[in-house]
Amino acid sequence: MSLPQHPDPRARRLRVLPPIGAPRSVPVAAWHALRSSVQQWALDSQRAACRNAMVAGTALAARRAEREDVEEFLAAREGHPTIPAPRTEDGPGPGRSARA
């Protein structure tokens, strides 16, 4: 089997490879099964990553809320005013003034 020639003489230095396809020794059904397995793995992996991100986000939000509750409790117990948290895009945190 000879490799196809490129019309540009500068490209002759480059090796032109034949088109990629399934080797004739492997049945087409096996290639389709492999391809569908790889595609399913990619989908399952993406779904698992999204679930992990949602669980992590929920856990972080719960920790933040608990930390703010503890800060407010300790500040009230010691008689100190609550230290304002930095403002976010959503506005001030619960129990905080809208003024900065």
Side-chain angles (χ1 to χ4, degrees), residues 34-100:
L34 177 64
R35 189 177 89 197
S36 67
S37 295
V38 170
Q39 287 175 339
Q40 188 60 43
W41 168 81
L43 292 172
D44 292 344
S45 178
Q46 178 67 27
R47 287 181 186 133
C50 288
R51 279 193 304 269
N52 290 343
M54 287 189 291
V55 168
T58 302
L60 289 173
R63 280 183 169 172
R64 182 176 51 241
E66 184 176 355
R67 185 178 60 242
E68 289 175 353
D69 288 345
V70 169
E71 287 176 358
E72 290 175 8
F73 172 78
L74 292 176
R77 186 170 178 181
E78 294 174 358
H80 298 290
T82 304
I83 299 170
R87 292 185 63 173
T88 62
E89 293 177 4
D90 299 333
R96 308 276 198 289
S97 171
R99 295 183 201 139

Side-chain angles (χ1 to χ4, degrees), residues 22-35:
R24 298 191 194 285
S25 62
V26 178
V28 174
W31 282 109
H32 288 294
L34 177 64
R35 189 177 89 197

